[in-house]
Each structure stands twice: as structure tokens, then as C-alpha cells.
Amino acid sequence: MNCGETLARSLAASGVREVYGVPAGKLAPFMGALAAMPGELDWVGVRHESAAAWMAGATRQATGRLAVCAAESGPGSHNLVGGLGSAHNNNVALLAVVSGVPAHLPKPAGLVMETDNDVLFAACTKWRATVRDPAELPGLIDTAIGEALSGRPGPVALSIPPDVLGAPGPEPIAVAPPRPRRAGPDAIEQAAALLRGAERPLLIAGGGAVSAGASVELRALAERLGAAATATQMGLGAVSSESPWFLGHGGVIGGEALIRACREADVVLIAGMRCSSWWWDGSTPVIGERPGQRLIQIDSDAAALGARAAVTLGIEADAREALGALLAALGDEPRREPGPWLTSLREEYIGYRAALRAHEQTADGSMHPAALARELGDALAPDSLAVYDGGHTTFWSNDLTPATAPRTRFHEPGMAHLGFGLPYALALKRHFPERTVVNITGDGAFGFTLAELDTARRYGLAAITVIHNNESWGVIRLGQERSGFELATGLAGSDYAAIARAFGCHGERIERPDEVAPALERAIASGLPAVIDARVGFEPHPGMRRFAAAGTR
Ligand SMILES: Cc1ncc(C[n+]2csc(CCOP(=O)(O)OP(=O)(O)O)c2C)c(N)n1
């Protein structure tokens, strides 16, 4: 057995089933091991290494399992950076495996493709190491997986030089996932006391609540307390957008009811939420302990407690453990009916959503982006999976795509890296071939990764991309126009449906809201990966002013 086999067998024994990557010459001992393990640990070959990282992230977000992205050191590791940065900024666990400069050479060696991966990955991974000796390999695999999954999850990287990878390897290991951390009983009692006394409670689920599987407990708590409830963009679906507690998604772009709830709540409970700028009013969080508001924060990462918003009570624990304990501490107290505060917030939110849904056309007679988002949201079957890519397009998807269950709606709010959507959707389709998977994107965003249509066709991954095609880098053009100029924001002329067909996929163009549902049906019926090039106008979203103000004052 060589170290490539030790690595492959250790990953499989630790629950990894996919390696996404671009074939790498110096990873031959690892790829050779995978060639003998189809169905156990599969290689999925992509056209750009960042797509591999996004697909590994999507596997983790959709299934909870750890996945691997692999690349040649040098050009491959540099290409990985975008995808690793997305995972890092969104706390998504994955493992990157890259080759390296042979361990016996001096540094720098002057070798073609030479790169110091540990330096390169310092800004986009939670942890990274180079394996310099075969004997180190099992311990470093153990540490890498442990770091990826424990505390605040994140991407990790192992660089393995070809002479190490090809050397005789130690016995494979199996790494067990870390145990969820329990909350102390005193903290739970204090949280229960604060919530018992609350007149205007607000619950917010972040990505940590989804990865902990805490949605059932969170919904039960909202029902028990008659609380307002919502989720961050990483927590989409943890609170159903169709429930009587829901007030809108997306923090400060989610509408006035959501912002008012954040300001007026007397007790706010946040679970697995890092309070990023999507929840800021200017440069300060819109929630936090202040006169009239108490903040309870549950997080598996002790360093996150109180890091952005002043907390009354910080609880270092797994969200599901803590919320379960909190429900038990509240005991058999009768369920509270929603009071006048929640009722008025709901009325405001329902009015906001209705106003968005009423849009049909922009001033120039084009399809309004809200109308496209509405038609698409209405046409998606309840078990469909959707990814929100693009610039301004994501705002409309965020408002108008129902999100009723966790792990069904996927956003990338932390880095907002255009182009992640298609790779994400392909990984989702691989895991759930029987469900409709839609990548809703902008025309600018789609251009970054459209070569993955080739991956889609080769692997038979019939995900559907719907492009909000406004023939521009829309939101950038808006900013320029407000500053009195326009430079290089036009993207007219590409026929994305024809591009899709050239890749062997289904492609068509639509221009009106009533064409959306039939086009989606045809795309599903084609059985092929598909692109629906939907021509829309550009219209500023009502949340734009607040979004643009984050961090500026
Ligand atoms: C990789 C990357 N480069 C640059 C940006 C900055 N950026 C944010 S929005 C945007 C324009 C997006 O255009 P499009 O995807 O067509 O969506 P639209 O705003 O038109 O809806 C750009 C360039 C980014 N987020 N990601």
C-alpha cells in the first residue's frame, strides 16, 4: 500500500464518498487508489478547480457529509482559492487535497508549477498542513477532518508531495465525527427564564442551526412562545417561509417587518448565526443587548459568542442540543398564541410580499425580475432544490422562493462569489437525482462557471439553470449610474440557450412571466441539463439602500 491508498482508504472509512477535482499528474498514487474504489469513493471530474470546491461544499450543505476537492499544486491550488474562500466565509466544512513540490527538494526549488500552498491557503482555510513524511499522514488526516468538523466548521487543506504520496503508506484510519457539545444546565435555565418573561420574542436560525439539524426544535420553540422567527441566508428553510411566525429572509434586505422585529424585540435568540453584515444597520448589528433588548446567542464556537453583537447570555453548544434542552426546561407551560406585536409584523410582511408579487414589467416593457422570481417560486414542487447565484438576482430569489424545509435552498452570503451556483446545483443533482434542482442566477454570474455544463452532460446531472438575463452586470451598473457614469457593465450578445445546446444540454429563451412554468416543464421533460435564458429588465430591489450602507458609516 502507498500513501495514496492510505489516504483514499482513510477518507472512505471516515464517511467521505466523493472527491471532486481536475485530474492531477502528481496525485497519481491517490487517483490510482480511487480508480479501484468506484461506488465507494468516487472521483467526479470538473472543468475548474473552484467548481470542485463548491461541489464539495454543496455535498456537505445538502447531506451533512464531508467531501473532498482535489487539485494539482500550483495552477490547480490557485484555482481552488475562490471555492475555498466561499467555504471559509460561510463556515462550510470540506477537505482540499493537493499535490506539492517533492519533499526532498530545497525550497524554493525552481520547479515548474511550484507554489507554497500553506501560504496560499492561509486566508481561505481554517487549517492547513503539508505532509512531509509518510509517518505523519494518519495523524494529519485525523487533525484535518477534526478541524473541518469541530467548533466553527470550515475548509481545511492537506498538501501531499508526490514522493510522499507514492511512498509505502501506513495503515488507513477511520475518523469519527466530533460529538455535539452540550449546554450547561445553568445557562439553559437562564435562557428559559429570559424567554418566559419575553413579550416580544424573536428567534433567528443561522447556518449552524441547519448543520446541527435543529430545525424541529426551533420550530417547536417558536410555536411554544408565539415568537417571531426567521433564518439567515445560511439557515434558509430552518423556519418555514410559509409558517405563521415568519417575517422575511435575508436580514436588512428582508423588508421593513423583519427590520422592525429586530429593533423592537425584547428578547432575541440567535442559534448558529454569526451576525454578518446582512444583519447590520450601517456598521453595527441591528440586534444586540441594549436598553429594552436582551440577546441570547447559541454557538458551537466559543469565540463567536458576543463577537459582533453584545450578548446578555452566550451559550457554547450545539444548536440542536441547546434548543432541545431549552424546550425541556420550558416544560409543560401552555403554548402562547401570537400576540398583537407578531400579528402586526405579519400583516406588514404579507403586504410587503404581495407588493413584490404584483410586479409584471419594468419601465421598458421587459419582464420584471420579481415576476420571474415569483413564477419560478410558484412553479417549483415542494421537494425541489434551489440555489441562489447572481448579483441582484439573489435578492428577488430570497424574497419569492418559498423555503419550507432546511437543506433545500442554498445561498452563498459570506463571500457572495458569483458563479458558485452551477457547480452547487450539479452536486445537489448528484445526491438527489429524482428531485428538480434549479440554479437561479444572473447572466454575469453564469459566465464564471458555464463550462461546468460539460461536467453536467458527462455525468448526466440534469440540473436546470434559469438566468435572469438583463444583459449586464446589473447591480454594478446601478451603482455606476448613481455615481454619474457607466463603464464596461454591458454583457449583451451572448446566446446562452445556444451555448447550452452546444454542450449537449437543453436550452431555450423566454421573455414573459407566463412562459416560465411551461419552460421549466419542458426542461424537466428533456431529462438533460438545461439552461433557460430568461430576458428581464433591471430594477433596484427595495433592500438595496440598506445593503449598500453596510459597513459605510
Ligand atoms: C467572482 C466575483 N467577482 C465580482 C463580484 C462583484 N459583483 C457583485 S454583483 C456583480 C454583478 C452581478 O451581475 P449578474 O450576475 O448579472 O447579476 P445582476 O446584478 O445583473 O442581477 C459583481 C461583478 C462578485 N461578487 N464575485
Side-chain angles (χ1 to χ4, degrees):
M1 177 172 329
N2 61 33
C3 282
E5 286 173 82
T6 303
L7 175 62
R9 295 256 153 240
S10 301
L11 294 174
S14 306
V16 175
R17 289 198 223 137
E18 294 86 12
V19 179
Y20 302 101
V22 173
K26 296 196 189 76
L27 288 180
F30 178 51
M31 292 193 70
L34 295 184
M37 299 168 70
E40 194 181 350
L41 183 56
D42 286 330
W43 178 275
V44 179
V46 298
R47 297 304 297 265
H48 188 290
E49 289 82 352
S50 263
W54 284 314
M55 289 179 84
T59 292
R60 167 72 178 170
Q61 294 304 93
T63 69
R65 284 192 287 103
L66 187 71
V68 169
C69 53
E72 193 77 277
S73 184
S77 41
H78 280 85
N79 266 357
L80 272 180
V81 166
L84 293 180
S86 288
H88 194 45
N89 279 23
N90 292 307
N91 310 309
V92 173
L94 60 81
L95 169 62
V97 171
V98 297
S99 59
V101 177
H104 69 271
L105 291 179
K107 308 277 176 307
L111 199 68
V112 64
M113 306 202 299
E114 182 169 359
T115 289
D116 185 336
N117 290 319
D118 292 339
V119 172
L120 179 69
F121 293 152
C124 57
T125 57
K126 179 183 172 191
W127 179 94
R128 68 220 69 86
T130 297
V131 185
R132 300 189 190 282
D133 189 299
E136 295 175 354
L137 185 59
L140 287 175
I141 294 171
D142 187 46
T143 307
I145 295 180
E147 285 285 340
L149 298 177
S150 62
R152 175 184 291 270
V156 298
L158 275 180
S159 301
I160 315 181
D163 47 348
V164 174
L165 209 50
E171 281 301 303
I173 59 163
V175 186
R179 291 212 173 161
R181 193 185 166 91
R182 288 229 164 101
D186 290 355
I188 293 299
E189 275 309 325
Q190 286 176 48
L194 282 168
L195 287 168
R196 247 183 231 121
E199 285 173 14
R200 298 178 304 281
L202 169 65
L203 313 180
I204 311 177
V210 173
S211 58
S215 180
V216 169
E217 288 76 6
L218 198 97
R219 291 169 183 216
L221 196 60
E223 194 170 352
R224 172 75 65 88
L225 298 169
T230 184
T232 70
Q233 281 134 320
M234 288 302 287
L236 295 174
V239 174
S240 170
S241 62
E242 309 312 297
S243 72
W245 335 108
F246 182 74
L247 302 170
H249 270 139
V252 292
I253 65 158
E256 293 305 312
L258 181 51
I259 293 161
R260 183 157 76 81
C262 289
R263 292 212 178 107
E264 292 179 358
D266 60 351
V267 179
V268 181
L269 181 148
I270 63 177
M273 170 190 181
R274 72 191 171 113
C275 227
S276 78
S277 64
W278 292 97
W279 297 83
W280 294 1
D281 183 6
S283 290
T284 47
V286 72
I287 50 167
E289 178 167 272
R290 55 177 186 257
Q293 188 165 98
R294 299 284 169 265
L295 178 63
I296 305 167
Q297 183 178 12
I298 300 169
D299 206 288
S300 56
D301 175 16
L305 300 173
R308 298 233 167 71
V311 292
T312 316
L313 177 63
I315 304 177
E316 182 193 354
D318 171 85
R320 186 177 178 190
E321 294 278 343
L323 293 174
L326 197 45
L327 280 167
L330 289 169
D332 297 330
E333 284 168 36
R335 190 184 131 178
R336 275 193 245 161
E337 291 306 316
W341 182 66
L342 178 53
T343 306
S344 80
L345 289 168
R346 282 285 296 169
E347 278 167 12
E348 191 172 354
Y349 167 64
I350 288 164
Y352 170 73
R353 191 154 76 170
L356 292 182
R357 286 182 63 87
H359 291 298
E360 292 294 340
Q361 290 184 340
T362 53
D364 65 356
S366 304
M367 175 156 54
H368 195 291
L372 173 56
R374 175 196 72 215
E375 293 299 316
L376 203 48
D378 290 354
L380 290 175
D383 71 342
S384 309
L385 305 175
V387 185
Y388 310 161
D389 193 359
H392 222 48
T393 58
T394 61
F395 288 32
W396 306 109
S397 301
N398 177 66
D399 286 320
L400 293 168
T401 322
T404 56
R407 299 192 195 275
T408 61
R409 304 283 176 261
F410 302 88
H411 206 319
E412 202 279 66
M415 185 66 86
H417 196 307
L418 300 174
F420 83 101
L422 179 58
Y424 240 74
L426 298 184
L428 300 178
K429 192 67 184 175
R430 185 178 146 79
H431 298 305
F432 301 102
E434 73 292 352
R435 294 163 79 167
T436 300
V437 177
V438 181
N439 166 40
I440 312 169
T441 188
D443 52 322
F446 185 56
F448 284 96
T449 47
L450 61 76
E452 299 306 331
L453 288 174
D454 170 82
T455 304
R457 187 205 61 248
R458 280 182 294 115
Y459 286 91
L461 300 172
I464 300 164
T465 291
V466 179
I467 306 174
H468 277 239
N469 187 354
N470 52 28
E471 299 192 324
S472 65
W473 302 103
V475 70
I476 303 294
R477 176 176 285 180
L478 173 72
Q480 290 188 355
E481 281 169 354
R482 286 181 176 171
S483 302
F485 74 100
E486 191 283 325
L487 179 65
T489 57
L491 289 174
S494 291
D495 182 344
Y496 296 107
I499 289 171
R501 290 194 295 271
F503 274 107
C505 303
H506 173 88
E508 61 177 283
R509 169 182 169 153
I510 59 170
E511 294 179 357
R512 294 194 319 270
D514 63 1
E515 294 177 309
V516 176
L520 196 61
E521 271 174 35
R522 285 190 296 274
I524 294 168
S526 77
L528 295 169
V531 171
I532 299 172
D533 181 356
R535 302 295 168 129
V536 292
F538 183 88
E539 191 68 32
H541 183 276
M544 191 57 206
R545 188 179 50 81
R546 281 210 169 81
F547 176 74
T552 59
R553 59 188 153 80

